[in-house]
Amino acid sequence: MSMTTPIVDFVRRYAQSGTSRLHMPGHKGQSLLGFEPWDITEIKGADELYGADGIIAQSEANATRLFDTVHTYYSTEGSSQCIRAMLCLALQAAPAAGQRPVLLAARNAHKALLYAAALLDFDIQWLWPAPQDAGSLCSCPVSAAKLTGALQGLAQQGKRPFGVYITSPDYLGGVQDIAALTEVCKDFDVPLLVDNAHGAYLRFLPQGGQHPIALGAAMCCDSGHKTLPVVTGGAYLHLGKNAPVQDEAAVRNALALFGSTSPSYLILQSLDKCNQILSEGYPLRLLQCCSHLTRLRRELNEAAAAKHCPGPLALESEPLKVTLDAAVLGLSGTELAEKLRAAKIECEYADPRYLVLMFTPDNPPQDFERLSAAVLRIAEELAGPVTLPEETAGEFAELERGLHRRCTIRQAVFAPQEQLPAEQAVGRICAMPTVSCPPAIPIVVSGEQITPAAAAWMKRYHVEEVSVIREPQ
């Protein structure tokens, strides 16, 4: 059944009413770029995002039904706003323990988590990847056994985290076993919080069972704009049945704490219209897209095998990502990105080894064909045998062993700072996390001392400068 679009309908009626706009914004609905007639502010009848009881509340109710959550809330400032609000709510609900609050989190977290820690002033106990899984900044698989061990270790120290925080899917398309992690969190009475920014579409796969809320997560954020037909900035905060806070006023206050008092009605209309699109045959189109990508990955791997490449080219990943191991073609991820750019293909992300391409049902057929042709052409040009680079697992383990916290994240972020070339920052304390977006995953966390191993990883990821705490003169 098609969903209503209350926000879109209101704005269209207002734009066509001929009303004199003696209110913000300053363009007064006059077309400069074309969208201005539909760009309004919180006038009478337009509802209020952080006090919704009208058209926004109606639209969020539609989204709640679509995502099958206890409540779905809109964000016009991306998943970053939702991450901060989610952590704020979990922190509010945690039992008073008379000690500094601590979050247990997988190390491949987006730097938005660090900003939340600085603003809310909590500590983070990191879950690092197992040695056999290490080697990429973007990945940190967490098994149920590993999570159980970490929670037991904290309990032995008399600590109970206010939440467990994981990123799934990650930037390379890796997916955590959320159902298993949920069971562990239930055993320890700790909420599972998921950064699902890359996985909003998972709800609309067959059975809808791959979305974190369906798998038992307490709360999660989705970036609608990453994988759904939503304009940039549109996101969701989803509450599950075991969310530590269910009170609507508390949730809206947490979102308001980290959001502008002038939310974009263009983004709200996009989220509103997306509800209708998702209710009108989207799951079938999504399934067809996933099938195309399954065939594409198989085709690329067969071509690589025919050229005797030393491993699979297209890696196993979540359904809408095509993650390529450029090393199989004797290239770095950034070199492969340049070759694809010459073929009029722009990737989502490239690093020293991997390249990530993101598809949705809105990609036209030519995009699938163009990528296939370009990669097959590159494979055909291989002149001789390719040797894979040495594994970086040992170097990653050295990074983990060497990093030590010298102050809290909040202290580091708000301390006087200076920028230094990365190679000159060894021995200094990291202030602001320094890594580009994407992937926006810090190599060194605010408050940690920068080691030679960390400087080597910064060089690998082309981080040329780092923000450090200024030393007293």
Side-chain angles (χ1 to χ4, degrees):
M1 181 183 294
S2 180
M3 289 280 180
T4 59
T5 53
I7 303 175
V8 170
D9 296 345
F10 174 87
V11 175
R12 293 300 187 271
R13 284 195 303 270
Y14 184 71
Q16 294 163 10
S17 69
T19 300
S20 295
R21 299 191 183 201
L22 304 185
H23 55 76
M24 299 181 283
H27 56 64
K28 306 302 180 182
Q30 302 304 308
S31 286
L32 302 172
L33 296 174
F35 59 76
E36 288 82 359
W38 299 281
D39 182 33
I40 65 167
T41 189
E42 293 165 315
I43 59 173
K44 182 175 177 59
D47 207 359
E48 184 179 346
L49 182 56
Y50 304 123
D53 60 5
I55 58 174
I56 295 174
Q58 294 165 26
S59 184
E60 286 182 340
N62 285 342
T64 297
R65 287 193 293 274
L66 280 166
F67 283 94
D68 194 23
T69 63
V70 170
H71 203 136
T72 289
Y73 296 86
Y74 288 160
S75 163
T76 61
E77 297 174 56
S79 279
S80 294
Q81 181 187 16
C82 299
I83 287 169
R84 292 166 193 147
M86 179 167 65
L87 291 163
C88 179
L89 292 166
L91 195 55
Q92 287 174 352
Q99 54 188 308
R100 284 186 59 77
V102 61
L103 178 76
L104 187 59
R107 182 71 183 200
N108 64 331
H110 189 281
K111 61 184 178 183
L113 171 59
L114 299 191
Y115 297 158
L119 294 170
L120 296 167
D121 196 17
F122 59 80
D123 295 330
I124 303 175
Q125 177 82 30
W126 294 107
L127 291 163
W128 288 80
Q132 67 270 21
D133 297 321
S136 171
L137 186 63
C138 297
S139 297
C140 184
V142 178
S143 67
K146 187 177 186 69
L147 178 57
T148 298
L151 287 167
Q152 288 174 338
L154 284 171
Q156 289 167 4
Q157 301 171 40
K159 295 179 180 178
R160 177 183 165 189
F162 68 88
V164 170
Y165 182 98
I166 63 169
T167 301
S168 179
D170 63 35
Y171 230 110
L172 297 185
V175 178
Q176 304 277 13
D177 187 351
I178 293 173
L181 300 181
T182 294
E183 291 305 312
V184 174
C185 288
K186 285 180 182 176
D187 290 342
F188 286 85
D189 194 24
V190 175
L192 180 65
L193 315 173
V194 182
D195 175 354
N196 185 56
H198 285 244
Y201 74 95
L202 293 172
R203 167 70 184 106
F204 306 98
L205 289 171
Q207 290 82 51
Q210 296 187 48
H211 192 271
I213 296 299
L215 295 171
M219 293 186 283
C220 81
C221 68
D222 293 355
S223 286
H225 69 89
K226 284 185 170 64
T227 59
L228 299 180
V230 173
V231 299
T232 300
Y236 310 96
L237 174 60
H238 299 297
L239 270 61
K241 289 184 234 179
N242 57 341
V245 176
Q246 299 281 358
D247 179 67
E248 182 174 342
V251 179
R252 293 201 187 277
N253 285 340
L255 286 162
L257 183 62
F258 302 104
S260 169
T261 54
S262 299
S264 166
Y265 270 79
L266 294 171
I267 296 175
L268 287 173
Q269 288 171 78
S270 179
L271 288 164
D272 187 44
K273 184 66 176 178
C274 183
N275 290 335
Q276 188 178 70
I277 294 168
L278 294 176
S279 69
E280 294 179 341
Y282 176 82
L284 177 59
R285 293 197 298 122
L286 175 62
L287 189 59
Q288 291 170 338
C289 178
C290 292
S291 297
H292 290 324
L293 291 174
T294 298
R295 288 195 296 272
L296 176 61
R297 293 187 198 95
R298 184 171 61 244
E299 183 180 74
L300 297 182
N301 283 335
E302 288 173 353
K307 294 295 290 186
H308 305 290
C309 290
L313 173 56
L315 304 182
E316 194 173 321
S317 70
E318 43 116 339
L320 287 188
K321 277 195 176 80
V322 175
T323 302
L324 302 181
D325 184 354
V328 165
L329 299 175
L331 301 168
S332 69
T334 49
E335 289 170 337
L336 180 55
E338 284 301 321
K339 287 181 176 291
L340 293 180
R341 205 163 279 128
K344 294 189 175 181
I345 298 168
E346 188 63 39
C347 71
E348 166 63 26
Y349 169 70
D351 70 15
R353 179 157 181 172
Y354 301 104
L355 178 136
V356 177
L357 304 126
M358 293 175 65
F359 285 81
T360 78
D362 289 304
N363 281 99
Q366 75 174 35
D367 291 349
F368 297 84
E369 296 160 7
R370 182 177 288 171
L371 175 64
S372 176
V375 176
L376 293 177
R377 187 164 56 248
I378 294 167
E380 280 299 317
E381 292 171 355
L382 285 174
V386 172
T387 302
L388 290 178
E390 292 183 14
E391 292 293 331
T392 55
E395 296 172 41
F396 208 87
E398 184 183 353
L399 176 67
E400 176 186 358
R401 286 193 301 269
L403 290 174
H404 299 288
R405 194 181 78 179
R406 301 304 183 196
C407 64
T408 69
I409 294 172
R410 181 180 177 87
Q411 288 169 335
V413 166
F414 289 105
Q417 302 173 17
E418 62 180 328
Q419 294 285 121
L420 288 179
E423 65 272 13
Q424 295 178 25
V426 174
R428 301 291 292 274
I429 300 172
C430 178
M432 293 291 284
T434 309
V435 67
S436 63
C437 184
I441 299 167
I443 296 167
V444 181
V445 167
S446 305
E448 292 177 341
Q449 189 169 25
I450 299 167
T451 63
W457 275 86
M458 289 179 188
K459 184 176 181 181
R460 185 191 304 274
Y461 281 87
H462 308 292
V463 177
E464 297 179 357
E465 288 195 329
V466 60
S467 175
V468 299
I469 294 177
R470 188 184 303 144
E471 294 180 336
Q473 298 298 316

